[in-house]
Amino acid sequence: MGTVTETTPTETTPRIVILFDIDGTLIDTGGAGAASWRLAFDELYGIPADIGQFTDAGMTDPDVGRRTFEAVLHRPPERHEFARLLERRLHHLHQTVAESKDYRVLPGVEELLPELIDEGRLLGLTTGNVEAAAHIKLHRAGLNRFFSFGGYGSDSTDRAELTRTALRRASLVYGETVDADQAVVVGDTPHDVEAAHAAGMACVGVGSHHFTADQLRDAGADYAIASLENGLPV
Ligand SMILES: [Mg+2]
């Protein structure tokens, strides 16, 4: 396992595995995620809870659900309540993704993914979404087929750990050991950079959503690009 700490990386090791964040990197659901939580809380408790008030974009789905529950109901959820909340949230997510007017695939993604497959790269996901939510969000754009493994918010509340999980799954799926220095994370926030580094991987910051390429470079991204339209720098 290599530890990537250098700020001026040299491309000596080919990046076999590329791990993509979803929200803000591959797609923008136009608020479908937050809307699904709001509908679930409203249906179950009569409270149209706004997750944006209580959580931030780097949190995993289970964390978002638990913190929002505690914020609006002033107590932790019982086990059965939490299970039901997660189920209702996924139920509503199908609809909010399907109906979202502002859902879009981010620039360059639809061209880049098949190109990377043609180059022989192994593509996975690294995301705070629970696994089912990740696939519901990608389904509308037909992007699930590019990703045969991933690390999800249902694997850990720690983004570094779920990024390591993604790498372990790459090794399982492809039947060969993939080391951290053979992988790269592509993400749109400083959380992605932090998690990649904690897992020993380099990170490509894509400034096409909430953060600019400069901000991601300042946050320690090994590479920073404005969008995926000109491919990856690895
Ligand atoms: Mg993101």
Side-chain angles (χ1 to χ4, degrees):
M1 295 278 282
T3 306
V4 178
T5 50
E6 70 269 22
T7 50
T8 49
T10 47
E11 276 307 295
T12 49
T13 313
R15 308 288 181 181
I16 299 168
V17 165
I18 305 184
L19 299 175
F20 284 89
D21 167 64
I22 295 179
D23 296 295
T25 300
L26 294 172
I27 57 169
D28 176 355
T29 65
S36 66
W37 285 112
R38 192 163 55 240
L39 289 170
F41 276 102
D42 199 22
E43 178 190 343
L44 293 170
Y45 302 104
I47 304 167
D50 173 13
I51 58 164
Q53 272 185 269
F54 315 113
T55 62
D56 84 62
M59 286 180 191
T60 62
D61 278 345
D63 255 354
V64 166
R66 195 176 303 277
R67 282 179 193 236
T68 304
F69 189 104
E70 288 175 4
V72 299
L73 288 148
H74 312 291
R75 62 178 176 84
E78 300 284 339
R79 186 188 300 130
H80 69 275
E81 290 175 317
F82 198 53
R84 181 177 298 277
L85 175 64
L86 293 177
E87 185 272 328
R88 287 287 89 192
R89 186 272 171 143
L90 287 174
H91 168 82
H92 288 296
L93 186 63
H94 281 281
Q95 179 196 342
T96 58
V97 166
E99 293 175 356
S100 175
K101 287 187 187 66
D102 296 321
Y103 181 102
R104 66 191 175 113
V105 179
L106 289 166
V109 168
E110 282 173 319
E111 297 75 24
L112 177 64
L113 297 177
E115 270 171 37
L116 293 173
I117 295 284
D118 285 346
E119 290 171 11
R121 318 267 195 167
L122 315 181
L123 308 186
L125 298 167
T126 179
T127 173
N129 286 286
V130 295
E131 185 166 0
H135 295 141
I136 292 167
K137 288 181 177 182
L138 292 174
H139 175 74
R140 175 167 161 179
L143 297 181
N144 277 315
R145 71 184 193 278
F146 293 105
F147 305 101
S148 39
F149 64 94
Y152 305 92
S154 36
D155 294 315
S156 174
T157 54
D158 173 16
R159 289 186 74 97
E161 183 51 31
L162 66 88
T163 304
R164 283 190 283 269
T165 300
L167 193 63
R168 280 196 296 276
R169 293 206 173 122
S171 300
L172 285 170
V173 167
Y174 291 101
E176 59 175 309
T177 302
V178 184
D179 292 324
D181 64 354
Q182 295 174 291
V184 66
V185 170
V186 182
D188 70 308
T189 69
H191 290 291
D192 299 306
V193 178
E194 223 174 278
H197 288 179
M201 295 175 219
C203 186
V204 177
V206 188
S208 54
H209 204 235
H210 290 315
F211 295 88
T212 64
D214 282 343
Q215 286 174 314
L216 294 167
R217 191 176 295 110
D218 290 346
D222 305 84
Y223 312 86
I225 53 180
S227 81
L228 292 173
E229 284 166 295
N230 297 311
L232 289 178
V234 294

